PDB file of all heavy atoms in Angstrom:
ATOM      1  N   ARG Y 242     102.295  90.917 108.618  1.00 94.00           N
ATOM      2  CA  ARG Y 242     100.989  90.547 108.168  1.00 94.00           C
ATOM      3  C   ARG Y 242     101.008  89.865 106.780  1.00 94.00           C
ATOM      4  O   ARG Y 242      99.965  89.114 106.484  1.00 94.00           O
ATOM      5  CB  ARG Y 242     100.064  91.768 108.203  1.00 94.00           C
ATOM      6  CG  ARG Y 242      99.714  92.287 109.499  1.00 94.00           C
ATOM      7  CD  ARG Y 242      98.846  93.516 109.432  1.00 94.00           C
ATOM      8  NE  ARG Y 242      98.556  94.065 110.708  1.00 94.00           N
ATOM      9  CZ  ARG Y 242      97.642  93.758 111.634  1.00 94.00           C
ATOM     10  NH1 ARG Y 242      96.814  92.746 111.201  1.00 94.00           N
ATOM     11  NH2 ARG Y 242      97.498  94.262 112.667  1.00 94.00           N
ATOM     12  N   ARG Y 243     101.778  90.106 105.901  1.00 96.00           N
ATOM     13  CA  ARG Y 243     101.828  89.622 104.575  1.00 96.00           C
ATOM     14  C   ARG Y 243     103.166  89.297 104.058  1.00 96.00           C
ATOM     15  O   ARG Y 243     104.196  89.793 104.637  1.00 96.00           O
ATOM     16  CB  ARG Y 243     101.216  90.662 103.666  1.00 96.00           C
ATOM     17  CG  ARG Y 243     102.050  91.836 103.414  1.00 96.00           C
ATOM     18  CD  ARG Y 243     101.513  92.922 102.475  1.00 96.00           C
ATOM     19  NE  ARG Y 243     102.447  93.962 102.131  1.00 96.00           N
ATOM     20  CZ  ARG Y 243     102.068  95.147 101.672  1.00 96.00           C
ATOM     21  NH1 ARG Y 243     100.875  95.366 101.386  1.00 96.00           N
ATOM     22  NH2 ARG Y 243     103.057  96.073 101.443  1.00 96.00           N
ATOM     23  N   GLY Y 244     103.375  88.432 103.182  1.00 97.00           N
ATOM     24  CA  GLY Y 244     104.509  88.331 102.409  1.00 97.00           C
ATOM     25  C   GLY Y 244     105.436  87.078 102.813  1.00 97.00           C
ATOM     26  O   GLY Y 244     105.104  86.379 103.879  1.00 97.00           O
ATOM     27  N   ALA Y 245     106.443  86.892 102.154  1.00 98.00           N
ATOM     28  CA  ALA Y 245     107.473  85.888 102.436  1.00 98.00           C
ATOM     29  C   ALA Y 245     108.729  86.467 102.948  1.00 98.00           C
ATOM     30  O   ALA Y 245     109.067  87.658 102.751  1.00 98.00           O
ATOM     31  CB  ALA Y 245     107.855  85.168 101.063  1.00 98.00           C
ATOM     32  N   PHE Y 246     109.451  85.659 103.695  1.00 98.00           N
ATOM     33  CA  PHE Y 246     110.738  86.058 104.338  1.00 98.00           C
ATOM     34  C   PHE Y 246     111.696  86.332 103.128  1.00 98.00           C
ATOM     35  O   PHE Y 246     111.561  85.610 102.068  1.00 98.00           O
ATOM     36  CB  PHE Y 246     111.295  85.071 105.272  1.00 98.00           C
ATOM     37  CG  PHE Y 246     110.589  85.035 106.573  1.00 98.00           C
ATOM     38  CD1 PHE Y 246     109.668  83.982 106.934  1.00 98.00           C
ATOM     39  CD2 PHE Y 246     110.809  86.034 107.546  1.00 98.00           C
ATOM     40  CE1 PHE Y 246     109.022  83.925 108.136  1.00 98.00           C
ATOM     41  CE2 PHE Y 246     110.192  85.971 108.768  1.00 98.00           C
ATOM     42  CZ  PHE Y 246     109.317  84.933 109.047  1.00 98.00           C
ATOM     43  N   GLU Y 247     112.567  87.184 103.388  1.00 98.00           N
ATOM     44  CA  GLU Y 247     113.486  87.572 102.292  1.00 98.00           C
ATOM     45  C   GLU Y 247     114.276  86.338 101.759  1.00 98.00           C
ATOM     46  O   GLU Y 247     114.428  86.269 100.442  1.00 98.00           O
ATOM     47  CB  GLU Y 247     114.626  88.549 102.932  1.00 98.00           C
ATOM     48  CG  GLU Y 247     115.837  88.720 101.960  1.00 98.00           C
ATOM     49  CD  GLU Y 247     115.392  89.222 100.541  1.00 98.00           C
ATOM     50  OE1 GLU Y 247     114.521  90.106 100.470  1.00 98.00           O
ATOM     51  OE2 GLU Y 247     116.055  88.631  99.600  1.00 98.00           O
ATOM     52  N   ALA Y 248     114.791  85.467 102.584  1.00 98.00           N
ATOM     53  CA  ALA Y 248     115.450  84.341 102.021  1.00 98.00           C
ATOM     54  C   ALA Y 248     114.598  83.540 101.075  1.00 98.00           C
ATOM     55  O   ALA Y 248     115.079  82.935 100.064  1.00 98.00           O
ATOM     56  CB  ALA Y 248     116.064  83.489 103.176  1.00 98.00           C
ATOM     57  N   ASP Y 249     113.393  83.251 101.497  1.00 98.00           N
ATOM     58  CA  ASP Y 249     112.465  82.472 100.706  1.00 98.00           C
ATOM     59  C   ASP Y 249     112.188  83.220  99.336  1.00 98.00           C
ATOM     60  O   ASP Y 249     112.147  82.531  98.302  1.00 98.00           O
ATOM     61  CB  ASP Y 249     111.200  82.197 101.416  1.00 98.00           C
ATOM     62  CG  ASP Y 249     111.450  81.283 102.628  1.00 98.00           C
ATOM     63  OD1 ASP Y 249     112.009  80.266 102.427  1.00 98.00           O
ATOM     64  OD2 ASP Y 249     111.021  81.784 103.725  1.00 98.00           O
ATOM     65  N   ARG Y 250     111.889  84.492  99.416  1.00 98.00           N
ATOM     66  CA  ARG Y 250     111.620  85.289  98.148  1.00 98.00           C
ATOM     67  C   ARG Y 250     112.796  85.214  97.270  1.00 98.00           C
ATOM     68  O   ARG Y 250     112.641  84.918  96.120  1.00 98.00           O
ATOM     69  CB  ARG Y 250     111.305  86.722  98.503  1.00 98.00           C
ATOM     70  CG  ARG Y 250     111.149  87.619  97.230  1.00 98.00           C
ATOM     71  CD  ARG Y 250     111.135  89.152  97.497  1.00 98.00           C
ATOM     72  NE  ARG Y 250     112.375  89.598  97.962  1.00 98.00           N
ATOM     73  CZ  ARG Y 250     112.773  90.937  97.799  1.00 98.00           C
ATOM     74  NH1 ARG Y 250     111.873  91.753  97.340  1.00 98.00           N
ATOM     75  NH2 ARG Y 250     113.916  91.364  98.250  1.00 98.00           N
ATOM     76  N   SER Y 251     114.066  85.330  97.775  1.00 98.00           N
ATOM     77  CA  SER Y 251     115.231  85.274  96.911  1.00 98.00           C
ATOM     78  C   SER Y 251     115.438  83.967  96.279  1.00 98.00           C
ATOM     79  O   SER Y 251     115.799  83.844  95.038  1.00 98.00           O
ATOM     80  CB  SER Y 251     116.401  85.671  97.719  1.00 98.00           C
ATOM     81  OG  SER Y 251     116.471  87.079  97.991  1.00 98.00           O
ATOM     82  N   ARG Y 252     115.128  82.854  97.060  1.00 98.00           N
ATOM     83  CA  ARG Y 252     115.331  81.551  96.430  1.00 98.00           C
ATOM     84  C   ARG Y 252     114.310  81.315  95.321  1.00 98.00           C
ATOM     85  O   ARG Y 252     114.664  80.794  94.227  1.00 98.00           O
ATOM     86  CB  ARG Y 252     115.126  80.442  97.509  1.00 98.00           C
ATOM     87  CG  ARG Y 252     116.329  80.222  98.342  1.00 98.00           C
ATOM     88  CD  ARG Y 252     116.222  79.042  99.150  1.00 98.00           C
ATOM     89  NE  ARG Y 252     115.272  79.186 100.208  1.00 98.00           N
ATOM     90  CZ  ARG Y 252     115.463  79.513 101.469  1.00 98.00           C
ATOM     91  NH1 ARG Y 252     116.655  79.838 101.855  1.00 98.00           N
ATOM     92  NH2 ARG Y 252     114.464  79.500 102.422  1.00 98.00           N
ATOM     93  N   TYR Y 253     113.103  81.733  95.496  1.00 98.00           N
ATOM     94  CA  TYR Y 253     112.081  81.681  94.425  1.00 98.00           C
ATOM     95  C   TYR Y 253     112.370  82.477  93.159  1.00 98.00           C
ATOM     96  O   TYR Y 253     112.470  81.963  92.061  1.00 98.00           O
ATOM     97  CB  TYR Y 253     110.664  82.015  95.024  1.00 98.00           C
ATOM     98  CG  TYR Y 253     109.616  81.885  93.827  1.00 98.00           C
ATOM     99  CD1 TYR Y 253     108.834  80.760  93.757  1.00 98.00           C
ATOM    100  CD2 TYR Y 253     109.302  83.117  93.103  1.00 98.00           C
ATOM    101  CE1 TYR Y 253     107.848  80.732  92.706  1.00 98.00           C
ATOM    102  CE2 TYR Y 253     108.317  83.010  92.148  1.00 98.00           C
ATOM    103  CZ  TYR Y 253     107.677  81.822  91.969  1.00 98.00           C
ATOM    104  OH  TYR Y 253     106.631  81.718  90.968  1.00 98.00           O
ATOM    105  N   ILE Y 254     112.809  83.697  93.373  1.00 98.00           N
ATOM    106  CA  ILE Y 254     113.018  84.599  92.341  1.00 98.00           C
ATOM    107  C   ILE Y 254     114.271  84.046  91.499  1.00 98.00           C
ATOM    108  O   ILE Y 254     114.218  83.987  90.297  1.00 98.00           O
ATOM    109  CB  ILE Y 254     113.338  86.035  92.650  1.00 98.00           C
ATOM    110  CG1 ILE Y 254     112.143  86.718  93.260  1.00 98.00           C
ATOM    111  CG2 ILE Y 254     113.946  86.876  91.606  1.00 98.00           C
ATOM    112  CD1 ILE Y 254     111.045  87.043  92.343  1.00 98.00           C
ATOM    113  N   THR Y 255     115.281  83.542  92.237  1.00 98.00           N
ATOM    114  CA  THR Y 255     116.432  83.067  91.607  1.00 98.00           C
ATOM    115  C   THR Y 255     116.080  81.773  90.747  1.00 98.00           C
ATOM    116  O   THR Y 255     116.534  81.561  89.606  1.00 98.00           O
ATOM    117  CB  THR Y 255     117.527  82.715  92.673  1.00 98.00           C
ATOM    118  OG1 THR Y 255     117.887  83.910  93.280  1.00 98.00           O
ATOM    119  CG2 THR Y 255     118.764  82.108  91.931  1.00 98.00           C
ATOM    120  N   ALA Y 256     115.291  80.973  91.263  1.00 98.00           N
ATOM    121  CA  ALA Y 256     114.926  79.737  90.579  1.00 98.00           C
ATOM    122  C   ALA Y 256     114.077  80.004  89.342  1.00 98.00           C
ATOM    123  O   ALA Y 256     114.431  79.455  88.253  1.00 98.00           O
ATOM    124  CB  ALA Y 256     114.120  78.777  91.606  1.00 98.00           C
ATOM    125  N   VAL Y 257     113.160  80.901  89.426  1.00 98.00           N
ATOM    126  CA  VAL Y 257     112.386  81.151  88.265  1.00 98.00           C
ATOM    127  C   VAL Y 257     113.151  81.854  87.191  1.00 98.00           C
ATOM    128  O   VAL Y 257     113.124  81.563  86.016  1.00 98.00           O
ATOM    129  CB  VAL Y 257     111.108  81.978  88.591  1.00 98.00           C
ATOM    130  CG1 VAL Y 257     110.370  82.428  87.407  1.00 98.00           C
ATOM    131  CG2 VAL Y 257     110.166  81.109  89.591  1.00 98.00           C
ATOM    132  N   ARG Y 258     113.897  82.813  87.657  1.00 98.00           N
ATOM    133  CA  ARG Y 258     114.744  83.600  86.662  1.00 98.00           C
ATOM    134  C   ARG Y 258     115.785  82.749  85.946  1.00 98.00           C
ATOM    135  O   ARG Y 258     115.883  82.774  84.685  1.00 98.00           O
ATOM    136  CB  ARG Y 258     115.484  84.763  87.341  1.00 98.00           C
ATOM    137  CG  ARG Y 258     116.275  85.719  86.541  1.00 98.00           C
ATOM    138  CD  ARG Y 258     117.751  85.457  86.419  1.00 98.00           C
ATOM    139  NE  ARG Y 258     118.335  85.382  87.802  1.00 98.00           N
ATOM    140  CZ  ARG Y 258     119.529  84.997  88.018  1.00 98.00           C
ATOM    141  NH1 ARG Y 258     120.330  84.545  87.022  1.00 98.00           N
ATOM    142  NH2 ARG Y 258     120.117  84.918  89.220  1.00 98.00           N
ATOM    143  N   LYS Y 259     116.475  81.800  86.661  1.00 98.00           N
ATOM    144  CA  LYS Y 259     117.364  80.861  86.074  1.00 98.00           C
ATOM    145  C   LYS Y 259     116.668  79.897  85.142  1.00 98.00           C
ATOM    146  O   LYS Y 259     117.238  79.515  84.029  1.00 98.00           O
ATOM    147  CB  LYS Y 259     118.177  80.089  87.155  1.00 98.00           C
ATOM    148  CG  LYS Y 259     119.185  81.033  87.795  1.00 98.00           C
ATOM    149  CD  LYS Y 259     120.056  80.121  88.796  1.00 98.00           C
ATOM    150  CE  LYS Y 259     121.211  80.985  89.370  1.00 98.00           C
ATOM    151  NZ  LYS Y 259     122.050  80.177  90.314  1.00 98.00           N
ATOM    152  N   GLN Y 260     115.473  79.497  85.432  1.00 98.00           N
ATOM    153  CA  GLN Y 260     114.802  78.550  84.626  1.00 98.00           C
ATOM    154  C   GLN Y 260     114.435  79.255  83.277  1.00 98.00           C
ATOM    155  O   GLN Y 260     114.627  78.600  82.246  1.00 98.00           O
ATOM    156  CB  GLN Y 260     113.536  78.080  85.281  1.00 98.00           C
ATOM    157  CG  GLN Y 260     112.840  76.876  84.681  1.00 98.00           C
ATOM    158  CD  GLN Y 260     113.713  75.692  84.853  1.00 98.00           C
ATOM    159  OE1 GLN Y 260     114.639  75.486  85.752  1.00 98.00           O
ATOM    160  NE2 GLN Y 260     113.551  74.689  83.952  1.00 98.00           N
ATOM    161  N   ALA Y 261     114.020  80.384  83.375  1.00 98.00           N
ATOM    162  CA  ALA Y 261     113.726  81.211  82.088  1.00 98.00           C
ATOM    163  C   ALA Y 261     115.091  81.395  81.256  1.00 98.00           C
ATOM    164  O   ALA Y 261     115.034  81.126  80.104  1.00 98.00           O
ATOM    165  CB  ALA Y 261     113.154  82.572  82.415  1.00 98.00           C
ATOM    166  N   GLU Y 262     116.190  81.778  81.958  1.00 98.00           N
ATOM    167  CA  GLU Y 262     117.430  82.020  81.157  1.00 98.00           C
ATOM    168  C   GLU Y 262     117.907  80.789  80.684  1.00 98.00           C
ATOM    169  O   GLU Y 262     118.565  80.782  79.614  1.00 98.00           O
ATOM    170  CB  GLU Y 262     118.397  82.732  82.110  1.00 98.00           C
ATOM    171  CG  GLU Y 262     118.048  84.126  82.528  1.00 98.00           C
ATOM    172  CD  GLU Y 262     118.784  84.846  83.558  1.00 98.00           C
ATOM    173  OE1 GLU Y 262     119.748  84.087  84.130  1.00 98.00           O
ATOM    174  OE2 GLU Y 262     118.748  85.968  83.702  1.00 98.00           O
ATOM    175  N   GLN Y 263     117.632  79.623  81.229  1.00 98.00           N
ATOM    176  CA  GLN Y 263     118.100  78.312  80.698  1.00 98.00           C
ATOM    177  C   GLN Y 263     117.672  78.119  79.323  1.00 98.00           C
ATOM    178  O   GLN Y 263     118.392  77.542  78.464  1.00 98.00           O
ATOM    179  CB  GLN Y 263     117.700  77.220  81.625  1.00 98.00           C
ATOM    180  CG  GLN Y 263     118.093  75.825  81.059  1.00 98.00           C
ATOM    181  CD  GLN Y 263     117.544  74.655  81.931  1.00 98.00           C
ATOM    182  OE1 GLN Y 263     117.251  74.876  83.162  1.00 98.00           O
ATOM    183  NE2 GLN Y 263     117.332  73.495  81.424  1.00 98.00           N
ATOM    184  N   PHE Y 264     116.479  78.713  78.926  1.00 98.00           N
ATOM    185  CA  PHE Y 264     115.902  78.537  77.606  1.00 98.00           C
ATOM    186  C   PHE Y 264     115.989  79.714  76.833  1.00 98.00           C
ATOM    187  O   PHE Y 264     115.396  79.905  75.647  1.00 98.00           O
ATOM    188  CB  PHE Y 264     114.471  78.079  77.727  1.00 98.00           C
ATOM    189  CG  PHE Y 264     114.211  76.764  78.386  1.00 98.00           C
ATOM    190  CD1 PHE Y 264     113.908  76.636  79.704  1.00 98.00           C
ATOM    191  CD2 PHE Y 264     114.400  75.579  77.649  1.00 98.00           C
ATOM    192  CE1 PHE Y 264     113.717  75.468  80.368  1.00 98.00           C
ATOM    193  CE2 PHE Y 264     114.315  74.301  78.211  1.00 98.00           C
ATOM    194  CZ  PHE Y 264     113.849  74.210  79.540  1.00 98.00           C
ATOM    195  N   GLY Y 265     116.735  80.788  77.322  1.00 98.00           N
ATOM    196  CA  GLY Y 265     116.867  81.955  76.507  1.00 98.00           C
ATOM    197  C   GLY Y 265     115.573  82.850  76.608  1.00 98.00           C
ATOM    198  O   GLY Y 265     115.448  83.674  75.600  1.00 98.00           O
ATOM    199  N   ILE Y 266     114.764  82.685  77.566  1.00 98.00           N
ATOM    200  CA  ILE Y 266     113.463  83.438  77.651  1.00 98.00           C
ATOM    201  C   ILE Y 266     113.746  84.705  78.274  1.00 98.00           C
ATOM    202  O   ILE Y 266     114.153  84.863  79.414  1.00 98.00           O
ATOM    203  CB  ILE Y 266     112.447  82.573  78.352  1.00 98.00           C
ATOM    204  CG1 ILE Y 266     112.119  81.205  77.727  1.00 98.00           C
ATOM    205  CG2 ILE Y 266     111.154  83.421  78.571  1.00 98.00           C
ATOM    206  CD1 ILE Y 266     111.324  80.303  78.597  1.00 98.00           C
ATOM    207  N   PRO Y 267     113.430  85.890  77.570  1.00 98.00           N
ATOM    208  CA  PRO Y 267     113.561  87.183  78.169  1.00 98.00           C
ATOM    209  C   PRO Y 267     112.460  87.324  79.315  1.00 98.00           C
ATOM    210  O   PRO Y 267     111.344  86.653  79.181  1.00 98.00           O
ATOM    211  CB  PRO Y 267     113.305  88.130  77.109  1.00 98.00           C
ATOM    212  CG  PRO Y 267     112.545  87.339  76.048  1.00 98.00           C
ATOM    213  CD  PRO Y 267     112.920  85.902  76.179  1.00 98.00           C
ATOM    214  N   TRP Y 268     112.732  88.182  80.325  1.00 99.00           N
ATOM    215  CA  TRP Y 268     111.837  88.267  81.464  1.00 99.00           C
ATOM    216  C   TRP Y 268     111.655  89.700  81.844  1.00 99.00           C
ATOM    217  O   TRP Y 268     112.567  90.571  81.651  1.00 99.00           O
ATOM    218  CB  TRP Y 268     112.277  87.455  82.577  1.00 99.00           C
ATOM    219  CG  TRP Y 268     113.761  87.584  83.045  1.00 99.00           C
ATOM    220  CD1 TRP Y 268     114.785  86.693  82.800  1.00 99.00           C
ATOM    221  CD2 TRP Y 268     114.274  88.583  83.914  1.00 99.00           C
ATOM    222  NE1 TRP Y 268     115.896  87.162  83.362  1.00 99.00           N
ATOM    223  CE2 TRP Y 268     115.718  88.386  84.076  1.00 99.00           C
ATOM    224  CE3 TRP Y 268     113.722  89.734  84.446  1.00 99.00           C
ATOM    225  CZ2 TRP Y 268     116.515  89.119  84.821  1.00 99.00           C
ATOM    226  CZ3 TRP Y 268     114.602  90.571  85.143  1.00 99.00           C
ATOM    227  CH2 TRP Y 268     115.941  90.211  85.356  1.00 99.00           C
ATOM    228  N   ALA Y 269     110.636  89.912  82.498  1.00 98.00           N
ATOM    229  CA  ALA Y 269     110.310  91.319  83.146  1.00 98.00           C
ATOM    230  C   ALA Y 269     109.774  91.148  84.578  1.00 98.00           C
ATOM    231  O   ALA Y 269     108.755  90.466  84.728  1.00 98.00           O
ATOM    232  CB  ALA Y 269     109.308  92.195  82.394  1.00 98.00           C
ATOM    233  N   ALA Y 270     110.564  91.568  85.522  1.00 98.00           N
ATOM    234  CA  ALA Y 270     110.197  91.371  86.969  1.00 98.00           C
ATOM    235  C   ALA Y 270     109.125  92.404  87.282  1.00 98.00           C
ATOM    236  O   ALA Y 270     109.021  93.446  86.793  1.00 98.00           O
ATOM    237  CB  ALA Y 270     111.420  91.624  87.853  1.00 98.00           C
ATOM    238  N   TRP Y 271     108.313  91.964  88.193  1.00 98.00           N
ATOM    239  CA  TRP Y 271     107.222  92.853  88.731  1.00 98.00           C
ATOM    240  C   TRP Y 271     107.599  93.434  90.007  1.00 98.00           C
ATOM    241  O   TRP Y 271     107.805  92.594  90.926  1.00 98.00           O
ATOM    242  CB  TRP Y 271     105.905  92.119  88.753  1.00 98.00           C
ATOM    243  CG  TRP Y 271     104.692  93.060  89.047  1.00 98.00           C
ATOM    244  CD1 TRP Y 271     104.213  93.353  90.280  1.00 98.00           C
ATOM    245  CD2 TRP Y 271     103.924  93.820  88.076  1.00 98.00           C
ATOM    246  NE1 TRP Y 271     103.134  94.271  90.093  1.00 98.00           N
ATOM    247  CE2 TRP Y 271     102.963  94.536  88.758  1.00 98.00           C
ATOM    248  CE3 TRP Y 271     104.076  93.980  86.695  1.00 98.00           C
ATOM    249  CZ2 TRP Y 271     102.127  95.382  88.158  1.00 98.00           C
ATOM    250  CZ3 TRP Y 271     103.168  94.836  86.062  1.00 98.00           C
ATOM    251  CH2 TRP Y 271     102.226  95.472  86.838  1.00 98.00           C
ATOM    252  N   GLU Y 272     107.796  94.636  90.374  1.00 97.00           N
ATOM    253  CA  GLU Y 272     107.605  95.836  89.587  1.00 97.00           C
ATOM    254  C   GLU Y 272     108.567  96.871  90.131  1.00 97.00           C
ATOM    255  O   GLU Y 272     109.157  96.704  91.128  1.00 97.00           O
ATOM    256  CB  GLU Y 272     106.182  96.232  89.591  1.00 97.00           C
ATOM    257  CG  GLU Y 272     105.700  97.348  88.741  1.00 97.00           C
ATOM    258  CD  GLU Y 272     105.400  98.650  89.523  1.00 97.00           C
ATOM    259  OE1 GLU Y 272     105.184  98.589  90.772  1.00 97.00           O
ATOM    260  OE2 GLU Y 272     105.376  99.688  88.894  1.00 97.00           O
ATOM    261  N   TYR Y 273     108.716  98.057  89.521  1.00 97.00           N
ATOM    262  CA  TYR Y 273     109.796  98.937  89.966  1.00 97.00           C
ATOM    263  C   TYR Y 273     109.525  99.634  91.265  1.00 97.00           C
ATOM    264  O   TYR Y 273     110.369  99.592  92.108  1.00 97.00           O
ATOM    265  CB  TYR Y 273     109.985 100.023  88.848  1.00 97.00           C
ATOM    266  CG  TYR Y 273     111.158 100.925  89.224  1.00 97.00           C
ATOM    267  CD1 TYR Y 273     112.426 100.441  89.233  1.00 97.00           C
ATOM    268  CD2 TYR Y 273     111.007 102.353  89.423  1.00 97.00           C
ATOM    269  CE1 TYR Y 273     113.517 101.305  89.489  1.00 97.00           C
ATOM    270  CE2 TYR Y 273     112.047 103.041  89.732  1.00 97.00           C
ATOM    271  CZ  TYR Y 273     113.368 102.591  89.732  1.00 97.00           C
ATOM    272  OH  TYR Y 273     114.373 103.267  90.134  1.00 97.00           O
ATOM    273  N   SER Y 274     108.437 100.326  91.420  1.00 94.00           N
ATOM    274  CA  SER Y 274     108.208 101.133  92.667  1.00 94.00           C
ATOM    275  C   SER Y 274     106.719 101.159  92.956  1.00 94.00           C
ATOM    276  O   SER Y 274     105.890 101.671  92.203  1.00 94.00           O
ATOM    277  CB  SER Y 274     108.629 102.513  92.514  1.00 94.00           C
ATOM    278  OG  SER Y 274     108.550 103.208  93.680  1.00 94.00           O
ATOM    279  N   ASN Y 275     106.323 100.523  94.031  1.00 91.00           N
ATOM    280  CA  ASN Y 275     104.911 100.526  94.576  1.00 91.00           C
ATOM    281  C   ASN Y 275     104.929 100.353  96.028  1.00 91.00           C
ATOM    282  O   ASN Y 275     105.998 100.082  96.632  1.00 91.00           O
ATOM    283  CB  ASN Y 275     103.978  99.530  93.750  1.00 91.00           C
ATOM    284  CG  ASN Y 275     104.480  98.210  94.129  1.00 91.00           C
ATOM    285  OD1 ASN Y 275     104.475  97.638  95.258  1.00 91.00           O
ATOM    286  ND2 ASN Y 275     104.834  97.395  92.994  1.00 91.00           N
ATOM    287  N   ALA Y 276     103.775 100.419  96.738  1.00 88.00           N
ATOM    288  CA  ALA Y 276     103.670 100.237  98.109  1.00 88.00           C
ATOM    289  C   ALA Y 276     103.122  98.887  98.576  1.00 88.00           C
ATOM    290  O   ALA Y 276     102.719  98.665  99.684  1.00 88.00           O
ATOM    291  CB  ALA Y 276     102.917 101.330  98.735  1.00 88.00           C
ATOM    292  N   GLN Y 277     102.986  98.014  97.495  1.00 90.00           N
ATOM    293  CA  GLN Y 277     102.309  96.685  97.802  1.00 90.00           C
ATOM    294  C   GLN Y 277     103.180  95.493  98.140  1.00 90.00           C
ATOM    295  O   GLN Y 277     102.711  94.342  98.297  1.00 90.00           O
ATOM    296  CB  GLN Y 277     101.407  96.430  96.616  1.00 90.00           C
ATOM    297  CG  GLN Y 277     100.194  97.098  96.517  1.00 90.00           C
ATOM    298  CD  GLN Y 277     100.406  98.604  96.028  1.00 90.00           C
ATOM    299  OE1 GLN Y 277     101.012  98.710  94.972  1.00 90.00           O
ATOM    300  NE2 GLN Y 277     100.009  99.547  96.775  1.00 90.00           N
TER     301      GLN Y 277
END
């Protein structure tokens, strides 16, 4: 009913995380434990 397929999620997270790290930008992923 909701959400992205695993492969698509992983590609997006990887792309955004690498873009931040390219400029030395620290990051915090959302989130540790929830049911959403």
Side-chain angles (χ1 to χ4, degrees):
R242 289 180 185 272
R243 69 180 185 195
F246 286 106
E247 168 53 45
D249 296 305
R250 179 189 69 158
S251 288
R252 281 193 289 266
Y253 177 91
I254 294 291
T255 300
V257 170
R258 187 259 305 171
K259 286 186 174 181
Q260 196 66 26
E262 292 177 348
Q263 177 182 333
F264 296 101
I266 300 172
W268 50 259
W271 189 265
E272 188 250 342
Y273 185 64
S274 180
N275 64 60
Q277 286 75 55

